[in-house]
Amino acid sequence: MAYGDQPTLTAGDVQIPLLGFGTWQLEPEDARRMVAEALRIGYRHIDTAKIYNNEEAVGQGIRDSGVNRDDIFLTTKIWVEDFANGDLQRAAQGSVERLGFTPDLLLLHWPKVQPSFEETLEALNDARAQGLTRDIGLSNFPSKEFRQAQDLSESRLLTNQVEYHPYLKLTPLLETAKALGSSITAWSPLAQGKIADDAAISEIARAHGKTNGQVTLRWLIQQNVIAIPRTTKEGRARENFDIFDFELSNEEVARIHGLARPDGRLGDWIDPAFQWDDVAA
């Protein structure tokens, strides 16, 4: 695939653009408009999910953009109600039909106790074998379940999409992804806007002539973490993409890491049967 000058990471033998455009909470009209504009700006990684109810609009936005489909990395997700063998494959087929494209990456949206991991991973691999996705992965899996899922998967799980931003420490999960030859994708990478007024990030931003959002996204991709910010504003999407002409120092990266705190998680819908990795902020 042609991603221009954008940095990518390689999971298995697959290249994934480190900066993507997310569509969580985007109404269909906004999703169509913003996906088309993001691709015109230069984004080459688009993220959606069945539960977002905008896959059809995302697909239309891709067509509206005029960008060749082969030059785009497209991710969607299977919702937890469709994890059973048979249901999962039908849900994957539904995503293909709504998008109008075969996704590059199909993720399990959250870990679920039932059906078993064995059944769900077998179904996910079967969806890949049927050509309903090019590759597979996870979302919101703690390290223990991440390892279990990879042990059960015939194919490499290319990423684990989880909440990650300066107020949340993710060291064990990052180490797990590296050990498994996988990657981490950060949702809510800008902490739902909370980084905008952060004094430490503002100081670093002034030193580089950048915004707080640009510094935060740069902090993520310098860790080889995929970031998928979303916005309804074309100007903000352009701003978020303008992060490839500067680099944070090791000291600046460490200073941002130091902002992590025990109560930093903003969205936690994990089944109580599972526990996030134990980390000290």
Side-chain angles (χ1 to χ4, degrees), residues 92 96 102-106 124 127-136:
V96 171
T102 299
D104 296 282
L105 190 56
L106 185 66
L124 185 64
R128 181 178 185 268
Q130 290 187 36
L132 300 174
T133 181
R134 293 188 175 93
D135 286 288
I136 57 176

Side-chain angles (χ1 to χ4, degrees), residues 13 43 62 69-70 83 101 145 167 208 224 238 265:
D13 59 357
Y43 291 83
I62 291 172
R69 167 65 184 97
D70 290 340
F83 276 11
F101 303 107
E145 287 71 30
Y167 306 120
H208 290 277
N224 224 27
R238 192 172 298 276
R265 193 174 298 279

Side-chain angles (χ1 to χ4, degrees), residues 141-203:
F141 275 56
S143 286
K144 178 183 176 181
E145 287 71 30
F146 191 0
R147 291 180 183 275
Q148 289 174 345
Q150 184 59 80
D151 286 344
L152 293 166
S153 179
E154 179 181 349
S155 299
R156 187 183 303 275
L157 301 170
L158 293 191
T159 201
N160 187 5
Q161 187 180 125
V162 297
E163 179 182 348
Y164 187 35
H165 46 69
Y167 306 120
L168 193 61
K169 192 168 186 178
L170 220 66
T171 306
L173 201 54
L174 289 165
E175 292 173 348
T176 297
K178 184 176 181 180
L180 295 176
S182 186
S183 66
I184 293 295
T185 299
W187 59 258
S188 287
L190 303 179
Q192 299 176 20
K194 296 184 184 299
I195 53 89
D197 300 318
D198 190 286
I201 296 175
S202 294
E203 184 176 343

Side-chain angles (χ1 to χ4, degrees), residues 48 54-56 58-60 62-63 74-76 94-103:
T48 185
N54 60 21
E55 285 179 314
E56 188 173 351
V58 166
Q60 190 56 55
I62 291 172
R63 289 184 285 275
L74 176 61
T75 300
T76 193
S95 287
V96 171
E97 292 171 359
R98 287 186 294 273
L99 289 164
F101 303 107
T102 299

Side-chain angles (χ1 to χ4, degrees), residues 109-111 139-145 160-163 168-170 172-173 187 265-279:
H109 211 143
W110 287 87
S139 186
N140 302 303
F141 275 56
S143 286
K144 178 183 176 181
E145 287 71 30
N160 187 5
Q161 187 180 125
V162 297
E163 179 182 348
L168 193 61
K169 192 168 186 178
L170 220 66
L173 201 54
W187 59 258
R265 193 174 298 279
L266 301 173
D268 191 0
W269 300 282
I270 199 165
D271 188 294
F274 308 112
Q275 298 294 323
W276 293 112
D277 297 303
D278 185 16
V279 293

Side-chain angles (χ1 to χ4, degrees), residues 21 28 73 143 177 215 245 280:
F21 185 81
F73 192 90
S143 286
V215 164
D245 60 350

